[in-house]
Amino acid sequence: MRTTTPNTPHIRGRWRRAGSAAAATAALLVAGLGTAAHATAATATTTHEVSAKAIAAQVAKAHVQYEKADCGATPKKGFAACDALRVTGGTTAFMEKQAALKGVTPKTVKPNAASDSPTGYGPSDLQSAYGLASAAASNGSGETVAIVDAYDDPNAAADLATYRSYYGLSACTTANGCFKKVSQTGSTTSLPTADSGWAGEESLDLDMVSATCPNCNILLVEAKSASDANLGTAVNEAVKLGAKFVSNSYGGSESSSDTTYDTSYYKHAGVAITASAGDEAYGAEYPAGSRYVTAVGGTALKTSSTSRGWTESVWKTSSTEGTGSGCSAYDAKPTWQTDTSCTKRMIADVSAVADPATGVSVYDSYGDDGTGWNTYGGTSASSPIIASVYALAGTPGSSDYPAEYPYAAAGTSALNDVTSGNNGSCSTSYYCTAKSGYDGPTGWGTPEGTDAFTG
C-alpha cells in the first residue's frame, strides 16, 4: 500500500445518543438486536423497558482496538495487499447495546480469542441501512457474485455455512450449486497455498455477499499469489466462468503499468467489477483507479433517529488510516465522470460501511488470528457489498461498463449523499472532504435501494 501501517492499534470514538426512548428502541431494533434467527420475544419485550438515557450511557463507553489483517502489509512493487481491518480488543457499540438490554456488564473482544456470537452488523442491519430488504428477499436468484482474493482459505465453505446458518439464510454450498471455489486457472482441486491472513479477507467477502444478496450464487476465485498479474488473471477467470459481478478487496500503489493492466484484466463489458478504494486515508491506489471498475470508498455507519434510521460520514481514523480517494496519476478519465479539477480518473464512485468501529460480523475459523466471530472493517467490506447491490439490480447491459450507472442517478433519492467528514488534507477540497454532491471519499454516496446500480 502507499504507507507503512502503524504498529499500534487505533481506538475509535463515541456513538451518537438516541433522542428519545422510542428512537432508542427503534435504533436497537434496526441494529439487529433480536434479528438473528434464534432471537427471542423476551428480548424484544426487554427492549421497551430500557430507557434512552441508559442506552446512551452504555453506548458512550464503546471503544475498540483493531489492526490491519495479515494480508494487509505494505506490498512490494507489482503486488497488492488486502483492505481489511479486524477488531482485536475493546467493546463495540453493538456489544454495549446488548449489555444494556440485558442489564449486564459488557463483554470485551480479546485479541486472538473466538467470540461465540457476532459483535458487528449482520444482514438485517446492512439491508436496512441501504434500503435493500425487499430486493434481498426477492432478487438475486441465478446471479453469480465472484470474489477474487489471493491464496486459499481451506475453511471457506464451512465458515460460509456457519455464517448463513446463524442468520437464518438459505444454505449456499458446493453440493447445491450455490458456492464454488476455484483457483485462478479454474481448478477445483489444485488450489493455492493456504494463508490465514487472506482467509480472513475471504470470509469477510463471502459473508458480505451473503448479507447483501442472500439469493445470489457465490464464486470464490483464489489467485496463487497477491501479484497484480495473478490477481488480474483470477478476475479474468471469474468472468470466463460466467460471473457478471466481481469484487476485488485489494490494492497497491499506482504505476505506469496500470493502463496495461486495465485492458488485460479489468476491461470486461457487461460485467460490474468493484474495487476497494484503500484503507490508508487520502491517496489513490490501483485497481480502484481503473476506469473499468467501480471504485468503492468507505463510511462510518451509525444508527440515528432520522427517518432513514442511519447516518453516515467519511471513514477516517487517523492521517494514515481511513478510506482512500484521489485523482489517479495514470488512468484516463472516463467520459461519464464529470468532476472538473481532476483531469484523469477520480476515486471513488460510491461507498458503503468500512469503519471497523461500525464494522460487520464475520465468521472465520482458519488460522490463529481470531478464530470464530470477528468484527471487520476496511474498504474490503464495502467492495463486496456494492458488487452485491449490482447483483440485486440485475444483469448489466452486454456492452455497458456499470461503473457509470451511479452517475446517471447522481443527486437522486437512489443514493444517500454523505456530506460530512474527510480522509485527510488535500489542495483540492473535494478530493478528500465530503460535501453535498460528488466527493472523492464517498463518490455519489451509498445505496438507497438498487435503482442507482442498473442501466
Side-chain angles (χ1 to χ4, degrees), residues 55 93 116 294 339 378:
I55 296 295
D116 60 4
T294 300
D339 62 296

Side-chain angles (χ1 to χ4, degrees), residues 95 124 304 347 361 421 436:
M95 297 165 74
S124 63
S304 78
I347 301 168
S361 275
S436 179

Side-chain angles (χ1 to χ4, degrees), residues 153-176:
D153 176 4
N155 297 358
D159 289 349
L160 177 64
T162 298
Y163 180 91
R164 294 179 71 102
S165 175
Y166 180 90
Y167 286 110
L169 305 178
S170 61
C172 186
T173 66
T174 302
N176 68 14

Side-chain angles (χ1 to χ4, degrees), residues 10 170 179 189 192 202 210 217 264 318 347 349 430 433 449:
H10 301 290
S170 61
F179 176 65
T189 55
E202 290 174 42
S210 296
N217 293 334
S264 297
S318 70
I347 301 168
D349 298 311
Y430 78 86
T433 304

